[in-house]
Amino acid sequence: MLTDETPDAAKLPAAYRRAINTLRPLPADIGDQINVTYEDGDWADYCLSHGIFAHIFDGATPSDQAARERWDANIGAALDHLQGVSPGLYRMVRLLVTDIVVLNSGADGGGSASQMPGVVVMSPGPEWEVPQYAECIVHEAMHLNLFIADAVYGTFILPSSDLEADEHRALSAVKIGQRRPLDKAFHAAVVTVPLMYLQHQRGTTTLIDLYADSLRDACLDLATHRHTFTDYGAMLLDALCEFAGSIDFAHVAETITDPAYAGYRPAVAA
């Protein structure tokens, strides 16, 4: 327990922010707003000084007011788009994401880190439109979700440094054909699910076509490492493997929005 609170749904956002403020170097505002900063903000300074996401921050160029207004508008439109396409994913994002650091580095994509709960780093590509902003935010929010779950329940019986050994590497569902440390391979597989679901909801199949086979292959490989997961982690792995075998988006929708899932407490965490 990071705090002594047992909040109800209405008080959860503020309680979550108070809890993660005990873990992160820069505090989140207590409320439910997402704070947007840029390459000259406090989070950018922190990442630069600590070598976090160096491939993104080292190449960042100064942004002018017009660029910032465009980014702000696209982030706002992406959240609106997400709310319209999947209210459940929207609620997840609004709970988990407290800060977005947006910049132009040429390294198109995003980032999140376990030591920075609530923070999403984003370097939009020049061709990005609102759906791509939404997908980036959802992608990184799911990473944040996994970081929090790992901090609360534990996902693996070994520390992250040990999972880099060759015997603990597994196929990536995203970097197709590559073997990655087990925790990173697991994260990569999990984050494909909300992205595929999001595209399914808006009638697009690009990522579904791209990831369906690689996710299935990754899950088969991840399952051979099941003994390295905690009971809680194995529960997540089993659910992931079930989805990979069925690509059942109705079940994904159920797990996002059904109160029975939202209130579920695994026996290992009771």
Side-chain angles (χ1 to χ4, degrees):
M1 289 289 290
L2 298 174
T3 69
D4 294 326
E5 298 178 77
T6 306
D8 58 22
K11 296 179 180 178
L12 183 59
Y16 164 75
R17 290 174 183 233
R18 282 190 288 268
I20 64 174
N21 280 349
T22 68
L23 300 173
R24 49 188 250 173
L26 301 173
D29 293 337
I30 303 302
D32 64 356
Q33 297 302 305
I34 296 176
N35 187 38
V36 180
T37 57
Y38 313 98
E39 77 284 342
D40 56 355
D42 290 342
W43 275 115
D45 289 344
Y46 177 81
C47 289
L48 280 167
S49 62
H50 289 80
I52 301 171
F53 301 127
H55 68 291
I56 299 177
F57 284 98
D58 286 350
T61 57
S63 57
D64 58 22
Q65 188 63 29
R68 295 183 179 191
E69 289 176 358
R70 183 173 65 255
W71 290 334
D72 289 354
N74 281 324
I75 290 170
L79 293 171
D80 289 342
H81 170 76
L82 185 58
Q83 186 175 28
V85 172
S86 177
L89 282 180
Y90 171 77
R91 286 193 295 271
M92 182 191 80
V93 166
R94 289 306 309 270
L95 172 64
L96 293 170
V97 178
T98 64
D99 299 83
I100 296 177
V101 186
V102 58
L103 65 161
N104 178 27
S105 73
D108 304 347
S112 50
S114 59
Q115 69 269 43
M116 295 160 48
V119 181
V120 166
V121 174
M122 177 190 297
S123 178
E127 305 301 321
W128 280 22
E129 297 181 351
V130 168
Q132 285 69 52
Y133 278 81
E135 288 168 5
C136 181
I137 293 170
V138 166
H139 178 150
E140 300 306 334
M142 182 54 69
H143 280 301
L144 295 176
N145 195 9
L146 290 169
F147 290 139
I148 292 295
D150 186 57
V152 173
Y153 299 124
T155 310
F156 301 97
I157 62 174
L158 298 174
S160 181
S161 56
D162 288 359
L163 298 178
E164 296 183 6
D166 287 345
E167 64 266 29
H168 298 307
R169 288 179 174 257
L171 283 173
S172 172
V174 177
K175 297 184 177 180
I176 298 172
Q178 293 188 26
R179 303 187 68 81
R180 303 187 67 195
L182 188 59
D183 52 347
K184 294 179 175 59
F186 181 62
H187 267 244
V190 171
V191 300
T192 65
V193 178
L195 293 178
M196 292 166 72
Y197 173 72
L198 188 58
Q199 289 211 344
H200 169 76
Q201 287 296 98
R202 55 178 244 260
T204 303
T205 66
T206 304
L207 293 182
I208 300 170
D209 297 339
L210 178 63
Y211 292 142
D213 289 340
S214 64
L215 176 60
R216 191 174 297 111
D217 292 342
C219 283
L220 288 172
D221 198 7
L222 287 165
T224 68
H225 299 270
R226 194 174 186 277
H227 61 282
T228 311
F229 288 75
T230 63
D231 289 345
Y232 177 77
M235 180 188 70
L236 298 182
L237 175 62
D238 291 346
L240 175 66
C241 291
E242 181 180 351
F243 171 76
S246 66
I247 313 296
D248 183 356
F249 291 112
H251 183 60
V252 175
E254 183 183 9
T255 61
I256 291 171
T257 60
D258 192 321
Y261 285 92
Y264 180 64
R265 284 175 60 84
V268 293

